[in-house]
Amino acid sequence: MANKYYLLRVEMIDIKPKIWRRFFVPSSIRLSDLHEAIQLVMGWSDYHLYEFSFGKKTYYFNGTVLTDEVDDDLFSNDNPKPADPTLTQIGLSKGSSFRYIYDMGDTWRHQIKVINDDFSPPADRVSEVGCLDGELACPPEDCGSVPGYYDCVKAVKSSLNQDDDDDDDEADDEDQKETKSKDPNDDDEDIDDLDDDDDDDDFDDDDGDDDDLEKSELLEWLDGWRPDFFDLQEINGSLKGRFPLKKAVKPEGAPVKKAVKSEGASDQKAAKSADKPKGAPSTSPPKDAKSANKPKGKKGSK
């Protein structure tokens, strides 16, 4: 029986604008593997614990096994019984939705909805799980939940705006240099004006310096992270490595096509050899056949 596929949409709750992905998975995928698929399509690093919730039913990964034996504190059972059902066993259908929470500290909440429960994946797909589209990058790991995410976005946008302002300032400086070259007699006056401006702007702003230092450290920690980044090709490359496309298996009882021999001298020779019974005597007489059949001691007539 051919495997069915689900078309899913995952989006992060509590964050605007929405961070989302649309991807397909086989219906036989287990929750532990679905977790890995979500990590890859969203861009997480799989550092933390997670849980799935289907209505009142919760499956929690305690660091060792995925289990449905959980209490309110999620840590009361030291030796829980493993439970890792497939999506088929859970009984999802079109329109069904469930929750996925990653990192019990930052508590990144995801809503997942079944868009299609009988999806036909693209013919040119390269993996069992594939991402079709999406928008925006997931938050940096351990950034401090939703408020920390917004701080990261603000710092990056401020840095980008500052870069634009620096470019504008450089363009203004070039214009000023051109003006000075045209009016060499005004050099002393221009310098005096700049000195006056510097005196006016020379003041202590400890709070501003602290904010700049904090923003600089945050940008260094983010290491190039961009909130608007989304690379579909990179995501599907990661999925291909983790969920490679399975080779088609010929069903049992399928007729086997016999190979047809090409016509030729060698085939004809083989056919003649095949027609000859094993152990049949040779049709050519042996060298001593005539002498052996001749009566011994018989003389010729006189």
Side-chain angles (χ1 to χ4, degrees):
M1 181 178 178
N3 196 14
K4 291 175 60 178
Y5 289 82
Y6 285 113
L7 177 62
L8 306 176
R9 176 189 165 98
V10 56
E11 66 178 39
M12 296 195 66
I13 306 172
D14 307 320
I15 292 179
K16 292 183 179 180
K18 290 295 184 183
I19 302 171
W20 63 275
R21 305 286 186 267
R22 196 163 59 97
F23 65 109
F24 62 86
V25 299
S27 60
S28 60
I29 193 170
R30 295 191 177 276
L31 292 185
S32 57
D33 291 328
L34 179 60
H35 155 73
E36 294 189 36
I38 296 171
Q39 290 284 306
L40 293 175
V41 299
M42 293 300 295
W44 294 117
S45 300
D46 201 3
Y47 290 158
H48 304 285
L49 306 180
Y50 64 91
E51 72 174 46
F52 288 97
S53 295
F54 301 86
K56 296 181 179 180
K57 186 72 171 179
T58 298
Y59 297 86
Y60 173 73
F61 180 70
N62 67 355
T64 305
V65 297
L66 187 67
T67 179
D68 60 354
E69 295 182 359
V70 294
D71 293 333
D72 292 338
D73 59 5
L74 297 178
F75 296 100
S76 60
N77 193 340
D78 294 333
N79 189 25
K81 181 180 179 182
D84 193 7
T86 66
L87 293 186
T88 299
Q89 291 171 335
I90 292 173
L92 297 178
S93 59
K94 183 178 180 180
S96 299
S97 62
F98 55 98
R99 294 284 181 92
Y100 168 76
I101 297 179
Y102 170 63
D103 185 354
M104 300 306 160
D106 284 353
T107 315
W108 301 113
R109 301 194 303 160
H110 304 67
Q111 182 80 10
I112 304 175
K113 185 175 182 179
V114 179
I115 306 300
N116 191 340
D117 59 0
D118 193 11
F119 179 69
S120 298
D124 59 348
R125 72 185 190 279
V126 296
S127 57
E128 286 294 305
V129 177
C131 186
L132 301 179
D133 50 13
E135 286 184 317
L136 305 179
C138 71
E141 294 274 6
D142 302 318
C143 69
S145 193
V146 176
Y149 165 74
Y150 285 129
D151 288 341
C152 294
V153 173
K154 182 179 179 181
V156 171
K157 286 186 175 181
S158 176
S159 175
L160 294 175
N161 291 336
Q162 182 63 47
D163 291 341
D164 292 338
D165 292 341
D166 291 342
D167 292 339
D168 293 339
D169 291 341
E170 290 178 4
D172 292 340
D173 290 341
E174 292 297 328
D175 293 339
Q176 291 179 4
K177 289 179 181 178
E178 292 179 2
T179 303
K180 289 179 183 180
S181 63
K182 292 179 182 179
D183 300 315
N185 295 328
D186 296 337
D187 286 346
D188 294 338
E189 295 180 3
D190 292 335
I191 293 174
D192 291 339
D193 292 340
L194 290 173
D195 289 340
D196 291 340
D197 292 339
D198 290 341
D199 291 339
D200 293 338
D201 295 338
D202 187 15
F203 62 92
D204 293 332
D205 186 3
D206 294 337
D207 292 339
D209 292 342
D210 291 342
D211 291 342
D212 290 342
L213 178 60
E214 184 178 348
K215 188 180 94 171
S216 177
E217 292 176 345
L218 179 56
L219 289 173
E220 183 179 357
W221 179 77
L222 289 173
D223 192 24
W225 174 84
R226 292 279 297 269
D228 59 342
F229 181 78
F230 174 72
D231 190 330
L232 184 62
Q233 184 175 359
E234 179 180 314
I235 291 173
N236 281 318
S238 299
L239 291 172
K240 179 182 178 181
R242 174 58 184 84
F243 300 97
L245 193 64
K246 296 179 181 178
K247 295 181 179 180
V249 179
K250 185 176 293 186
E252 296 183 4
V256 179
K257 187 176 181 180
K258 296 182 179 180
V260 179
K261 293 184 178 179
S262 59
E263 295 180 358
S266 60
D267 292 336
Q268 293 176 358
K269 183 177 180 181
K272 290 181 179 180
S273 174
D275 292 339
K276 182 178 178 180
K278 292 183 179 181
S282 173
T283 54
S284 300
K287 293 181 180 181
D288 298 335
K290 292 183 180 180
S291 57
N293 294 330
K294 183 177 179 181
K296 292 182 179 182
K298 186 176 182 181
K299 297 181 179 181
S301 56
K302 290 183 180 180

